[in-house]
């Protein structure tokens, strides 16, 4: 039947995407070509009952595009947004993750963009809940020791003020783990984690 065919196509697309991501890591020179292939497939899936699979692929596609170059990142993000495959907060989040991975020297600028444009509205759907903290972890990995303390302070202040109430504690805990990993100790951050864990509602999944 048509639904069964669509489900099979969705599973095949997900498996193919995973293979392509691995191929991109092994051979980045053909990343753009592989992204274009997946984009054509996602566009087709959005017109069928398999749209749910396309939604799942949007975030990794944007991150892969950002790892390629700015032009590809903008093109992919704009198309996925136009197709209704991803919302603005996650789109910005994934762009910033990819940009920081590709150009760590832009980390501090990406931090400002992230907390200004994504953080106030940012959450992850249930099938990507483990990726909620990706940007926080990537940002700390992208800066040198001299800037790490400053970035931790900026992110802590932004998360406490701007983050969704349901996600605040998880983001602060991720920031604390990343800070410790990179040699930044902060009693203030530890106190903030304890306070918000006690006061915040449980995580909410969209």
């Amino acid at each position: 039947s048509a639904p069964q065919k669509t489900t099979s196509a969705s599973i095949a697309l997900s498996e193919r995407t995973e293979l392509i991501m691995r191929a991109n890591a092994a051979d980045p020179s053909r990343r753009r070509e592989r992204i274009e292939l997946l984009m054509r497939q996602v566009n087709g899936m959005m017109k069928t009952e398999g749209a749910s699979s396309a939604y799942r692929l949007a975030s990794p596609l944007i991150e892969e595009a950002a790892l390629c170059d700015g032009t590809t990142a903008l093109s992919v993000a704009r198309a996925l947004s136009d197709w209704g495959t991803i919302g603005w907060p996650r789109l910005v989040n994934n762009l910033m993750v990819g940009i920081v991975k590709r150009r760590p020297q832009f980390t501090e600028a990406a931090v400002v963009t992230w907390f200004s444009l994504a953080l106030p509205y940012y959450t992850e759907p249930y099938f990507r809940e483990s990726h909620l903290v990706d940007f926080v972890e990537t940002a700390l990995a992208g800066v040198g020791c001299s800037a790490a303390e400053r970035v931790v302070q900026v992110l802590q202040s932004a998360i406490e003020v701007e983050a969704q109430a349901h996600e605040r504690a998880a983001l602060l805990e991720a920031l604390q783990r990343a800070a410790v990993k990179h040699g930044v100790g902060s009693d203030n951050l530890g106190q903030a984690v304890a306070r918000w864990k006690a006061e915040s509602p449980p995580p909410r999944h969209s």
Side-chain angles (χ1 to χ4, degrees), residues 21-98:
M21 300 306 177
R22 291 178 182 176
N24 285 345
D27 177 21
S29 65
R30 298 183 61 192
R31 177 177 273 121
R32 184 185 294 106
E33 176 186 336
R34 298 184 188 107
I35 290 170
E36 290 172 352
L37 172 63
L38 277 179
M39 287 293 288
R40 289 193 294 271
Q41 294 176 325
V42 167
N43 187 22
M45 294 299 290
M46 286 297 293
K47 302 170 184 176
T48 71
E49 293 87 346
S52 60
S53 290
Y55 297 136
R56 292 170 182 262
L57 298 178
S59 287
L61 260 174
I62 291 174
E63 186 175 326
E64 284 292 316
L67 285 168
C68 187
D69 57 62
T71 301
T72 303
L74 181 60
S75 175
V76 167
R78 181 176 293 164
L80 290 172
S81 178
D82 288 346
W83 299 340
T85 318
I86 192 168
W88 176 256
R90 286 175 55 218
L91 183 154
V92 174
N93 178 75
N94 298 130
L95 278 176
M96 293 304 104
V97 170

Side-chain angles (χ1 to χ4, degrees), residues 119 122 132-133 136 155-156 158-177 189-204:
L119 181 60
Y122 175 58
L132 177 74
V133 300
V136 169
L155 283 171
Q156 179 186 339
I159 291 168
E160 289 199 73
V161 174
E162 301 290 351
Q164 297 264 319
H166 294 76
E167 316 296 358
R168 188 177 289 123
L171 288 166
L172 286 170
E173 284 187 290
L175 179 60
Q176 184 181 41
R177 290 193 301 269
L189 177 55
Q191 292 166 5
V193 169
R195 181 172 66 254
W196 287 112
K197 283 182 70 175
E199 297 179 5
S200 296
R204 175 184 58 202

Side-chain angles (χ1 to χ4, degrees), residues 101-112:
K101 286 182 177 180
R102 182 168 59 90
R103 295 288 181 86
Q105 66 269 33
F106 294 153
T107 296
E108 292 189 69
V111 165
V112 175

Side-chain angles (χ1 to χ4, degrees), residues 5-21:
K5 289 181 180 178
T6 301
T7 300
S8 298
S10 300
I11 294 171
L13 179 57
S14 297
E15 292 175 346
R16 191 178 303 118
T17 301
E18 184 177 351
L19 290 173
I20 286 176
M21 300 306 177

